[in-house]
Every structure is written in structure tokens, then in C-alpha cells.
Amino acid sequence: MARSSHTRFLPLFLFLSVISPTTTTAMITVAARGFLLEATPLVVAMQDYYTASNGTFISDLPDLWQNRNVDLDAGAEVHVLHDAPGHADLRIVTTVAEVYYRIVANNASGTIHGPADLKGKRIGVVANTTSEYFAYRYLRDVAGLKDDEYTLVGASGGQGLCYSLPCGNGTLPKMLALGQIDALTAYEPTTELAAMTIGEKNAVMFRNDSLYRELSVMYTTQAKLDDPVTRKEIVRFLKALGKVQETFATEPTKVWDRVASITNRGMSVQLLERIWGLTRWSGGLPADMVDLLAEEDEYIARDKTLKRTAMTRERIASHIDSGPLAEVANKLDEGVNLRGLR
Ligand SMILES: *[C@@H]1O[C@H](CO)[C@@H](O)[C@H](O)[C@H]1NC(C)=O
Ligand SMILES: *[C@@H]1O[C@H](CO)[C@@H](O)[C@H](O)[C@H]1NC(C)=O
Ligand SMILES: *[C@@H]1O[C@H](CO)[C@@H](O)[C@H](O)[C@H]1NC(C)=O
Ligand SMILES: *[C@@H]1O[C@H](CO)[C@@H](O)[C@H](O)[C@H]1NC(C)=O
Ligand SMILES: *[C@@H]1O[C@H](CO)[C@@H](O)[C@H](O)[C@H]1NC(C)=O
């Protein structure tokens, strides 16, 4: 073996460190908020196609830069918009789900006839999330209201959410029933349970699917993608996720029990069935992703405390990498040795 020069030795050493022994102990760590419906296919992919020895699911807020072990984060696009300005290396690699929001208004007074009647109303939202953004977009674009013609009442974090009846004190549905707010929009099943709490005859639902939907995305860093071992695992995980998304989309009855148990908030299968149609498990990178992110970033950048302007379309596009998904498509026939995958 030639060791006559340093320059020949070094590349060989790097080569060995890449192919051995890491390839035999492939690992991946995925982080998402486990109680959200959108996180459930990730958990299923992890449980069915990995084992505890090589796959880890962290149920927490996205945390790519604080926890370097995390290879893939999953969360609503709003997290990406908050993280991207300070992290040029962030890369979105796929969509986990597309989620449609609804505003439910309490029409017990009989005065809500159409969207314009939301004028002057107090609207409950999950503060600073896609829920708040949907309320803003609907009230602006469909109801035709200016910011000062309604009041957003923000419930923070998990506080306002409800997963089963009866919805307790402090949840948005209970606030709606008590008249502390007039309408609300939140992650499901909270909106659905709000309608059930005030009674179907009082509940008016406002919805516009072409206006906006949340994109729950998976993202990583350029450094992770540049590492051949990590990149290979990311591609394998995306392949497994694709299989799970297909099942979620085409055979939902097979997964409802499991989804209910993964979210672990006491959600019934009957409730899941009622709200299932609000989430699409199509995956991939939607053609309008840059448009959606660019428009939403205008809203986020309005927050003066962030001291920044909205990102350009070019900057946003630089955060989307279709390479790993293309590799999944190219490797359909290659054995990747994952249990259950063909
Ligand atoms: C995880 O480990 C199991 C057994 O330990 C193995 O069969 C499987 O192929 C591994 N998966 C990955 C993605 O490395
Ligand atoms: C709200 O209630 C009034 C009175 O019952 C009814 O006329 C109206 O149609 C209701 N609004 C909607 C959007 O159903
Ligand atoms: C969102 O956060 C900002 C501060 O970052 C705050 O001013 C605003 O009131 C919050 N929105 C809601 C609906 O609570
Ligand atoms: C909810 O609030 C009501 C009224 O303030 C109170 O009587 C009741 O005990 C509270 N319930 C719980 C479970 O805290
Ligand atoms: C839904 O939103 C789209 C996009 O803003 C708009 O063109 C359309 O008129 C809206 N539809 C309804 C029923 O409000």
C-alpha cells in the first residue's frame, strides 16, 4: 500500500472513515411535536422501518441547531420562516402533510350570515402559529377586514387546545361556549370539538382551501446533506415516509387506532374520522411552496421585534432542496433493506 506521500494517505483515510464502520450502524434522529397529527406518519415510519438501535424520534419543538444529533426536523412552515433568516444552511426536503384550517363562529345570536359578519369579533387562535396566519389571511382576503376591524385572542402553546369532550376551562372551545371569544381557528381536533361544544346548530364554519393550507415540512441542514452517510439515511427515511403517507392517504382506517395512540391525548377514532379529510398526506414539494412561504413571510416580518424584512423569493427557494426526494425516486428498485419495504 502506497504511503510514500502524505497526500495519498489522507484521501484513503477519509474514504475508510466514510464507508466503515458507519454503514453497518446506520442511524437517524428525527424530531417533531409528537402530539400533532402531522407527526404520526414519522413515528410510524420510525417504528416500522427502523429499530430503537438505529432510529430515534424526539418529541419536541424543532431543534436542529441546538441538538446536533437531530438529522431531520418536522414542523409547520412557520418554524422554517422563523429559523431560515439566521440559518442559511436550512434545507426543506419534503412535505409531511398539508393541513386545511377552518374558522368556527358561534351563531347563537343569529347574527353571523357570512364572513363579513366577523367584523368586530374576537377570534381565538393559537398565537404566532399557522393558525394565527390563517385567521389573518381569511379575514383579510375573504372577509375583507382590516387588522383593526377584529381582535385576535391568542392562546399560547398547548393551552388552548382540546382533544376530547368536554373541553376544559381555558381551552378555546370552552372560551367560545362561554362567550369570551366569538369565533376560533386552531389545530384539529380543536376546531371540530368547538363546533360540538357550542352545538352544531350554532356553529358556522368558514373555510377556503385555495387561500392557504399549512405545509408540515421536514428539514435538515446542508452539512447533514453533504455527509454521505447521513444523506443516505435521510433518503432511506424519506422512502419509508413515502410508504407510510401512501397508507395514510389510501387506507386510513388501518391507521386511526395507531394515530390516536401516538398522539396520546385521548382522541377517539370517531373524532379522527370526522377530521381526517382536513389533512392531505400527499408528500413531495408542492409547486407553489415558494409562493406560499414568501407570502407568509411578509406577515411574519411585520413583527417589529424580529427586526428584519421579509425574505426574497430567491432566498426562500435556496432553502428548498429536491435532491433527496429525487434520489428516493431513482432508487425505487434498489434494495435498501428496510423491513416491510419492497
Ligand atoms: C435497523 O436495525 C435493524 C436490526 O438491528 C436492521 O434490520 C435494519 O435494517 C436497520 N435499519 C436501518 C435503516 O439501518
Ligand atoms: C345564523 O343564524 C341565523 C338565525 O337563525 C340564520 O338566519 C343564519 O342563516 C345563520 N347563519 C349561517 C351562516 O348559517
Ligand atoms: C405573537 O408574538 C408577538 C411577539 O413576538 C406578539 O406581539 C403578538 O401579540 C403575538 N400574537 C398573538 C396573537 O398573541
Ligand atoms: C372551571 O371553571 C368554573 C368556573 O370558573 C369552575 O367552577 C370549575 O371548577 C372549573 N373546572 C375545573 C375543572 O377547573
Ligand atoms: C377563496 O380564496 C381565493 C384566493 O384568495 C379567492 O379567489 C376565492 O374567491 C375565495 N373563495 C371564497 C368562496 O371566498
Side-chain angles (χ1 to χ4, degrees):
M1 189 151 300
R3 286 201 197 175
S4 51
S5 82
H6 208 68
T7 47
R8 292 192 66 174
F9 176 70
L10 190 63
L12 177 66
F13 169 76
L14 287 176
F15 179 67
L16 288 176
S17 74
V18 163
I19 61 161
S20 164
T22 25
T23 40
T24 51
T25 54
M27 312 253 266
I28 193 155
T29 301
V30 174
R33 301 170 90 182
F35 67 90
L36 294 174
L37 273 186
E38 304 97 87
T40 57
L42 310 176
V43 178
V44 171
M46 194 62 90
Q47 291 173 347
D48 287 14
Y49 303 116
Y50 284 77
T51 69
S53 64
N54 52 25
T56 308
F57 179 78
I58 301 177
S59 182
D60 204 350
L61 274 170
D63 201 4
L64 268 179
W65 295 275
Q66 283 170 42
N67 181 347
R68 300 276 165 176
N69 292 327
V70 174
D71 300 307
L72 282 169
D73 256 346
E77 80 283 352
V78 68
H79 295 296
V80 167
L81 295 173
H82 279 295
D83 287 347
H87 298 283
D89 59 337
L90 184 156
R91 298 290 178 271
I92 299 173
V93 292
T94 197
T95 303
V96 178
E98 301 179 32
V99 189
Y100 297 94
Y101 274 109
R102 302 171 297 172
I103 292 177
V104 57
N106 192 345
N107 190 27
S109 63
T111 58
I112 307 282
H113 297 277
D117 295 320
L118 293 171
K119 186 173 180 177
K121 298 288 191 277
R122 296 158 301 176
I123 316 220
V125 296
V126 187
N128 288 306
T129 67
T130 51
S131 150
E132 179 184 315
Y133 178 61
F134 173 71
Y136 164 74
R137 286 295 307 278
Y138 192 90
L139 294 166
R140 185 191 77 180
D141 295 2
V142 179
L145 300 177
K146 298 192 187 71
D147 295 10
D148 60 2
E149 291 182 308
Y150 58 86
T151 307
L152 293 184
V153 178
S156 61
Q159 295 296 310
L161 303 175
C162 176
Y163 298 89
S164 62
L165 295 176
C167 294
N169 289 345
T171 65
L172 290 167
K174 187 66 185 265
M175 290 169 73
L176 185 65
L178 292 174
Q180 294 166 354
I181 51 178
D182 308 300
L184 67 85
T185 182
Y187 320 141
E188 298 296 350
T190 300
T191 307
E192 184 73 18
L193 289 169
M196 294 164 84
T197 298
I198 61 175
E200 306 284 345
K201 67 178 193 319
N202 295 323
V204 175
M205 289 285 193
F206 296 111
R207 174 174 177 179
N208 183 326
D209 292 357
S210 58
L211 184 68
Y212 168 75
R213 79 273 187 212
E214 175 195 304
L215 297 180
S216 175
V217 294
M218 294 210 90
Y219 52 107
T220 182
T221 63
Q222 186 62 49
K224 297 269 180 188
L225 292 172
D226 286 343
D227 178 282
V229 175
T230 307
R231 186 183 184 97
K232 191 171 175 191
E233 277 325 295
I234 288 174
V235 170
R236 279 146 71 104
F237 185 81
L238 294 186
K239 183 167 180 177
L241 175 63
K243 283 280 170 195
V244 177
Q245 285 171 314
E246 204 177 301
T247 306
F248 272 50
T250 60
E251 301 173 281
T253 53
K254 277 191 178 174
V255 297
W256 283 334
D257 274 328
R258 212 155 154 203
V259 169
S261 105
I262 290 168
T263 51
N264 195 27
R265 290 286 194 280
M267 224 190 303
S268 71
V269 166
Q270 290 72 23
L271 184 58
L272 270 177
E273 192 171 353
R274 289 173 72 116
I275 61 168
W276 197 253
L278 293 162
T279 302
R280 282 177 51 204
W281 307 97
S282 39
L285 293 165
D288 65 344
M289 186 178 259
V290 173
D291 301 324
L292 188 149
L293 293 179
E295 179 144 33
E296 185 171 352
D297 202 46
E298 298 275 349
Y299 179 70
I300 289 173
R302 289 184 355 165
D303 181 346
K304 298 280 180 285
T305 64
L306 296 178
K307 296 187 170 60
R308 70 169 175 91
T309 53
M311 288 183 282
T312 63
R313 293 176 60 84
E314 291 68 29
R315 171 66 189 239
I316 288 171
S318 77
H319 288 290
I320 302 171
D321 187 347
S322 59
L325 270 186
E327 284 173 42
V328 171
N330 289 339
K331 286 185 176 163
L332 283 184
D333 298 327
E334 269 180 43
V336 289
N337 210 20
L338 299 182
R339 281 176 299 135
L341 283 184
R342 300 284 173 270

